[in-house]
Amino acid sequence: MRLLERMRKEWFMIGIVLAIAGAKLEPSVGVNGGPLKPEITVSYIAVATIFFNSGLSLKTEELTSALVHIKLHLFIQIFTLAFFPATIWLFLQLLSITPINEWLLKGLQTVGCMPPPVSSAVILTKAVGGNEAAAIFNSAFGSFLLGSSSSVPFTSIFSQLFMTVVVPLIIGQIVRRYIKDWLERKKPPFGAISSSVLLMIIYTTFCDTFSNPNIDLDKFSLILILFIIFSIQLSFMVLTFLFSTRNNSGFTPADTVAIIFCSTHKSLTLGIPMLKIVFAGHEHLSLISVPLLIYHPVQILLGSVLVPTIKSWMVSRQKGVKLTRPTV
């Protein structure tokens, strides 16, 4: 079993490298409007597949339990929409005395204000084996909450979330009722399906990144902003891990996994339209957009690379909890 798990990890890492290399060699294949039509296949079909898959694999009791886990939801939403942007603002006060372009710094501030994405946080939580139901709720709720209070058309956000998240999830739950015994007997490879969808998202994301004319910085600025974004993201992942694993936090290891990804990931799908509306006609819009355009692929890549490590930690903690439980 351990050998099989190690082989899966290795193949997944190879898949990430091949996806990025393929995107670099021929980005036109996976860009919006390209042969793969990611604006349809990824934004709608892939996301709907993720949540249909979740509807099939999750027990109804797990979804119900996640819905009423108020403490977990409050932690994620407060961290995402209050602590994250406030901390970024303080950090940028220090960076403002450096020669870094001020519009890139403004772009970093806008990144901090974005909600979690609907797809990647859920896929990564599922890949680790974390609290998938909680990840689904918080990813959708964060996008819905910020979208409804911003200048982005509310009807557009609601309809897309409803059609790609709610409907597939409900259909998955309905189908599960009829084939529950078969699912428990055959145990379909839900993890492999999620990993495949994640690789597709990684590929199309990097196709967009490599072909985007807005990311036209000198090498020094590009490397510097990459380093800052990587450091910010990793630091927040460590912070959420420390906060949610402290004594008497009330969170399980599976909850911690959902917290790590949902609290630190930011939505490109909602973010870019918001930037275009808020900074409409602004001469520096392309520079302001760069941090979000970089943050998006970095969060997927970093999260994917850390999946095996976080999974090993979660499994070991769960085994430890079982061993320390008193026998009745």
Side-chain angles (χ1 to χ4, degrees), residues 166-310:
V166 179
V167 171
L169 189 66
I170 292 174
I171 293 174
Q173 283 283 288
I174 293 171
V175 173
R176 178 181 171 82
R177 282 194 165 202
Y178 292 98
I179 61 171
K180 182 179 178 181
D181 293 336
W182 181 85
L183 288 171
E184 292 178 354
R185 188 171 65 252
K186 294 293 184 180
K187 299 188 182 303
F190 292 119
I193 295 171
S194 294
S195 296
S196 300
V197 173
L198 179 57
L199 288 175
M200 183 180 179
I201 291 174
I202 291 172
Y203 172 70
T204 55
T205 297
F206 275 89
C207 282
D208 271 336
T209 302
F210 291 135
S211 63
N212 198 313
N214 290 328
I215 306 179
D216 186 23
L217 300 173
D218 59 274
K219 287 186 178 179
F220 175 75
S221 297
L222 185 59
I223 292 171
L224 187 60
I225 203 72
L226 269 170
F227 175 75
I228 291 172
I229 286 173
F230 179 84
S231 301
I232 287 173
Q233 199 167 137
L234 191 59
S235 298
F236 278 125
M237 291 179 83
V238 172
L239 269 178
T240 53
F241 175 81
L242 294 175
F243 286 161
S244 61
T245 55
R246 71 188 190 284
N247 291 336
N248 302 318
S249 68
F251 299 125
T252 66
D255 292 338
T256 294
V257 173
I259 287 170
I260 288 173
F261 292 123
C262 291
S263 300
T264 60
H265 280 213
K266 296 296 179 179
S267 174
L268 180 70
T269 305
L270 186 60
I272 291 300
M274 285 178 65
L275 288 179
K276 287 181 177 178
I277 291 171
V278 174
F279 296 99
H282 200 291
E283 60 178 322
H284 296 292
L285 175 60
S286 60
L287 277 175
I288 295 170
S289 304
V290 165
L292 182 58
L293 292 170
I294 294 176
Y295 194 97
H296 181 64
V298 168
Q299 72 185 5
I300 294 174
L301 182 60
L302 182 60
S304 302
V305 169
L306 290 177
V307 161
T309 303
I310 298 174

Side-chain angles (χ1 to χ4, degrees), residues 6 29 48 53 59 83 132 136 139 143 161 229:
R6 188 164 57 190
V29 175
N53 190 26
K59 296 176 181 177
F83 183 84
E132 183 185 353
I136 291 171
S139 294
S143 294
L161 285 175
I229 286 173

